[in-house]
């Protein structure tokens, strides 16, 4: 989830400056959703009602030329508000976050949910991939009484796509760790692996995975996703792989034929390995679409 930092809004910046900040912000959300399609945007209050600068509201920004399409993109990000609506129930009244003496609801929300705080670039101080926030929380002493503990925490943060890129691995992998079955992995493939395409037959491969093999398969798919997302086919024949990837030997290549979605049998001899055992993820590259197509997940063919 992306938490819009309210401290970066309602600034004294001019309308033109806020327009520039909003264009930057929309591009940040667009890029986040490209990396992970289920990305949600959480705002302190309904986004359309928020104040961007002194007397300048989102409603006014929407009406300006060129902003209707940007607004539609923001709406597609499953807007939710207020921040408290997505926080753990146990957090209510037990923890408080502040930044430079000001209450920091969104920054705190991002920290509590292991999310990402996003800001408008109204001040240079926000242009950082991590923000240090003061936290006061109730802790239980040895005798059972509650005491207040004060300290600082680092909150994942972005204003531009440059800072977002620093959190690539988190953005793509967050949410995967809670999956316990191959069926869950199959159902979420479009959200977590937008640059991978799975043949229909791999649904059964994933559903048949033994529990101890689920995590290594997930890790290999995540590495393949990251490599494909960074790949520029016009510059390199293959992506920069994140783990050991090789083609099948010529003597075994005949075992790697699978019927593609269009009914044509193609060779999927490229493969990544996973353990325990001799696990394989067989795929082929489709450079004209910048896609990696997966045909088989299981034991060595």
């Amino acid at each position: 989830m992306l938490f819009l930092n309210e401290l970066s809004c309602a600034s004294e910046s001019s309308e033109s400056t806020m327009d520039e900040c909003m264009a930057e912000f929309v591009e940040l959300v667009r890029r986040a959703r490209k990396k992970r399609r289920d990305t949600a945007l959480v705002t302190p209050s309904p986004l359309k009602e928020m104040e961007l600068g002194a007397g300048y509201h989102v409603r006014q920004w929407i009406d300006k030329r060129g902003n209707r399409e940007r607004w539609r993109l923001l709406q597609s990000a499953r807007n939710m508000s207020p921040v408290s609506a997505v926080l753990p129930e146990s957090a209510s009244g037990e923890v408080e976050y502040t930044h430079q003496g000001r209450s920091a609801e969104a920054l705190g929300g991002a920290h509590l949910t292991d999310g990402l705080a996003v800001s408008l670039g109204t001040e240079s101080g926000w242009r950082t991939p991590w923000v240090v926030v003061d936290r006061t929380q109730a802790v239980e002493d040895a005798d059972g009484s509650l005491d207040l503990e004060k300290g600082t925490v680092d909150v994942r943060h972005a204003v531009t796509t440059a800072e977002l890129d620093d959190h690539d691995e988190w953005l793509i992998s967050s949410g995967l760790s809670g999956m316990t079955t191959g069926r869950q992995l199959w159902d979420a493939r479009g959200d977590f692996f937008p640059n991978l395409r799975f043949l229909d037959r791999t649904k059964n491969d994933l559903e048949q995975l033994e529990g101890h093999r689920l995590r290594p398969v997930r890790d290999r798919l995540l590495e393949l996703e990251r490599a494909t997302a960074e790949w520029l086919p016009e510059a390199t024949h293959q992506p920069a792989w994140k783990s050991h990837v090789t083609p099948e030997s010529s003597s075994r290549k005949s075992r790697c034929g699978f019927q593609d979605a269009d009914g044509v049998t193609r060779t999927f001899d490229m493969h990544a390995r996973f353990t325990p055992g001799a696990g394989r993820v067989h795929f082929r590259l489709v450079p004209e679409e910048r896609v990696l197509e997966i045909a088989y997940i299981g034991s060595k063919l």
Side-chain angles (χ1 to χ4, degrees):
M1 284 185 287
L2 309 180
F3 289 79
L4 178 56
N5 172 22
E6 72 278 10
L7 299 181
S8 69
C9 304
S11 74
E12 297 300 318
S13 301
S14 65
E15 280 193 23
S16 60
T17 297
M18 295 310 304
D19 288 342
E20 291 173 5
C21 290
M22 282 296 289
E24 196 172 51
F25 173 65
V26 172
E27 177 58 20
L28 173 68
V29 175
R30 186 196 67 78
R31 180 76 68 87
R33 284 179 58 75
K34 184 176 181 181
K35 293 173 184 287
R36 181 172 167 183
R37 292 175 187 168
D38 68 340
T39 298
L41 177 63
V42 183
T43 54
S45 59
L47 184 56
K48 206 169 186 177
E49 310 300 327
M50 286 189 62
E51 187 177 18
L52 296 173
Y56 183 42
H57 292 76
V58 172
R59 282 182 178 276
Q60 296 164 273
W61 171 81
I62 294 171
D63 289 336
K64 288 189 173 182
R65 186 177 180 179
N67 287 340
R68 285 287 176 179
E69 189 61 33
R70 292 187 176 108
W71 172 242
R72 278 192 284 271
L73 186 143
L74 291 180
Q75 286 181 303
S76 72
R78 291 200 307 142
N79 292 310
M80 293 182 287
S81 68
V83 171
S84 58
V86 300
L87 296 185
E89 204 171 303
S90 58
S92 178
E94 294 185 4
V95 59
E96 179 184 25
Y97 294 85
T98 59
H99 181 265
Q100 296 181 357
R102 297 185 292 172
S103 177
E105 185 180 26
L107 294 172
H111 185 260
L112 281 170
T113 61
D114 192 32
L116 173 72
V118 291
S119 297
L120 303 181
T122 50
E123 300 173 17
S124 59
W126 292 128
R127 296 180 181 273
T128 173
W130 295 91
V131 174
V132 178
V133 179
D134 296 308
R135 179 181 66 179
T136 301
Q137 62 180 344
V139 295
E140 187 175 7
D141 291 334
D143 61 3
S145 61
L146 290 177
D147 197 9
L148 292 180
E149 178 184 81
K150 296 185 177 183
T152 61
V153 294
D154 293 323
V155 178
R156 194 178 289 108
H157 179 264
V159 166
T160 70
T161 56
E163 288 105 31
L164 183 68
D165 288 345
D166 285 352
H167 305 299
D168 247 5
E169 188 170 348
W170 165 84
L171 185 64
I172 299 170
S173 64
S174 61
L176 281 174
S177 58
M179 294 187 181
T180 57
T181 68
R183 177 58 184 271
Q184 290 175 320
L185 204 57
W186 170 263
D187 289 343
R189 68 193 185 284
D191 291 330
F192 293 102
F193 312 116
N195 294 287
L196 306 184
R197 187 162 65 209
F198 296 75
L199 295 192
D200 288 345
R201 65 162 314 284
T202 60
K203 177 181 179 182
N204 187 63
D205 289 347
L206 287 170
E207 290 180 342
Q208 296 302 312
L209 277 178
E210 298 174 89
H212 66 292
R213 283 186 147 193
L214 182 65
R215 181 169 182 176
V217 166
R218 183 196 71 198
D219 290 346
R220 290 295 85 74
L221 293 176
L222 180 58
E223 289 165 351
L224 292 173
E225 165 63 30
R226 290 172 54 206
T228 309
E230 297 169 2
W231 182 35
L232 297 175
E234 63 275 18
T236 59
H237 180 61
Q238 294 183 6
W241 304 116
K242 310 296 182 181
S243 64
H244 190 47
V245 169
T246 58
E248 194 59 86
S249 64
S250 56
S251 62
R252 300 178 62 86
K253 194 169 290 191
S254 61
R255 306 184 186 191
C256 305
F258 294 91
Q259 191 175 82
D260 211 335
D262 58 6
V264 176
T265 297
R266 293 186 168 90
T267 301
F268 293 77
D269 66 313
M270 297 293 293
H271 60 274
R273 295 163 170 79
F274 63 88
T275 56
R280 298 288 190 269
V281 178
H282 276 266
F283 61 87
R284 74 182 185 99
L285 294 170
V286 188
E288 62 272 20
E289 300 179 50
R290 204 177 80 169
V291 164
L292 184 152
E293 187 170 55
I294 296 173
Y296 174 83
I297 301 170
S299 297
K300 184 177 180 178
L301 292 170

